[in-house]
Amino acid sequence: MKSAFQKVALVGKYMNPEMREQILALAGFLLKQNIKVVIEESTAAQSDILGHEIVHIDAIGACADLAIVLGGDGTMLTAARALLDHDIPLVGVNRGRFGFLTDLSSESMLEGMAKILAGEYNIEQRMLLSASIQCDNEIVSHGYALNDVVVNKMGMSRLIELEVNIDEQFVHRQRSDGLIISTPTGTTAYSLSAGGPILHPALDAIAIVPICPHTLSNRPIAINASSKIDIVLVHTEDAAVHFDGQLHKALKQGDRVLVQRAEKTVSLLHPLGHSHYDMLREKLHWG
């Protein structure tokens, strides 16, 4: 049976030349299946790969119909944001530590890809957050996050004071190290370390998790994903907002971070039999 995927892009972990052997093995396997292969530009440069079509990551969505990401969750997050404007699914091969977003192991990579190319997969849509930064009543920046939008203090500066509003309703003020706004996908990332709940990816919800709050009664909450969240920097000496762990913009007193569910989604392919609970049990060492 002819595969539904005719041209596949390979994206490797940034600054990891050890990916070369696996990328070449995967490229060779795909070519034997009569599938065209393109290599992401930085991946090819870091791994010294020649002889294949090389494209910038922003161009992958226009030329390929599947992206295979080799690395950890950070690599997958970067690829997902770069391909947002294109309806291209992603498959993850875990080369990181936990790999909550990367299903295939290095050892099972070729076997797993053979099944996916044969149509033996499930497709899952993952929610994204859309966030805008407002300074002096003007939107100055905007971005997307698959895991989380985090407002936090920088370095060893004092606690910051935040005002949180949901759907134009005042919720509370808090003094803390910051606040995590997380998708269900992101609840196994920074949010989990900060004591937040684990939300199943199919849930239509957003988690709001304080980071080391001064008042211990400030607890994580989960809200409907249709809600609009408005965070006001009431007092800060040195704060910033991060999207998926990447510094986005420094913040000052009076700035606002406006967060809501994005209209766009990310498509992840899972091998048949994939179980979110099996993954949690393995990664978190549950009994």
Side-chain angles (χ1 to χ4, degrees):
M1 179 185 295
K2 189 175 182 180
S3 172
F5 307 112
Q6 300 304 303
K7 195 168 188 177
V8 174
L10 305 183
V11 182
K13 186 175 181 180
Y14 180 65
M15 294 294 287
N16 189 341
E18 297 177 5
M19 302 294 300
R20 187 174 192 275
E21 184 178 340
Q22 277 200 314
I23 292 170
L24 290 176
L26 187 52
F29 170 80
L30 293 169
L31 290 171
K32 287 180 180 179
Q33 313 302 312
N34 295 316
I35 294 172
K36 296 178 181 178
V37 174
V38 299
I39 311 290
E40 187 271 326
E41 185 177 65
S42 296
T43 303
Q46 291 294 327
S47 300
D48 192 26
I49 294 176
L50 303 173
H52 292 280
E53 182 181 351
I54 308 299
V55 298
H56 190 274
I57 193 167
D58 294 335
I60 286 176
C63 71
D65 43 27
L66 175 68
I68 303 175
V69 182
L70 299 92
D73 287 346
T75 312
M76 181 69 92
L77 292 170
T78 299
R81 291 195 306 272
L83 299 174
L84 268 184
D85 292 329
H86 304 276
D87 188 19
I88 174 172
L90 300 108
V91 175
V93 177
N94 186 25
R95 289 279 299 182
R97 294 184 177 89
F98 286 103
F100 286 102
L101 291 172
T102 48
D103 292 337
L104 302 180
S105 68
S106 299
E107 296 74 22
S108 67
M109 176 181 70
L110 298 185
E111 178 185 355
M113 282 310 307
K115 292 180 179 179
I116 287 174
L117 294 176
E120 298 177 22
Y121 62 82
N122 294 316
I123 190 163
E124 180 183 37
Q125 301 298 326
R126 291 290 182 98
M127 183 180 89
L128 290 142
L129 295 175
S130 170
S132 300
I133 291 81
Q134 186 181 76
C135 303
D136 300 322
N137 296 316
E138 179 182 353
I139 300 296
V140 297
S141 187
H142 180 266
Y144 295 95
L146 176 56
N147 263 359
D148 49 41
V149 174
V150 178
V151 177
N152 63 334
K153 72 186 185 77
M154 302 290 283
M156 297 300 293
S157 59
R158 296 180 180 179
L159 298 180
I160 57 178
E161 186 172 349
L162 304 168
E163 179 181 296
V164 180
N165 301 275
I166 299 174
D167 293 330
E168 299 184 351
Q169 297 183 63
F170 173 70
V171 178
H172 59 61
R173 281 192 180 189
Q174 66 169 251
R175 294 181 68 237
S176 63
D177 282 354
L179 193 69
I180 303 168
I181 312 299
S182 175
T183 67
T185 299
T187 58
T188 52
Y190 190 14
S191 171
L192 182 62
S193 298
I198 296 176
L199 303 181
H200 190 281
L203 279 176
D204 204 24
I206 294 171
I208 302 179
V209 182
I211 307 169
C212 299
H214 183 261
T215 302
L216 295 181
S217 59
N218 284 132
R219 307 305 301 160
I221 60 173
I223 63 174
N224 193 293
S226 64
S227 300
K228 296 182 179 181
I229 304 155
D230 179 2
I231 304 165
V232 184
L233 276 292
V234 177
H235 179 77
T236 179
E237 295 178 354
D238 188 14
V241 58
H242 295 76
F243 295 167
D244 286 341
Q246 301 295 314
L247 177 62
H248 185 78
K249 193 179 188 310
L251 300 172
K252 65 181 187 304
Q253 189 166 308
D255 288 351
R256 310 178 91 100
V257 180
L258 311 172
V259 184
Q260 63 184 50
R261 179 180 189 160
E263 294 182 2
K264 304 174 182 180
T265 59
V266 170
S267 300
L268 300 182
L269 295 191
H270 301 294
L272 289 181
H274 168 79
S275 165
H276 184 68
Y277 302 111
D278 288 347
M279 181 272 295
L280 289 177
R281 189 168 57 253
E282 176 190 352
K283 304 297 183 182
L284 299 178
H285 305 290
W286 291 348

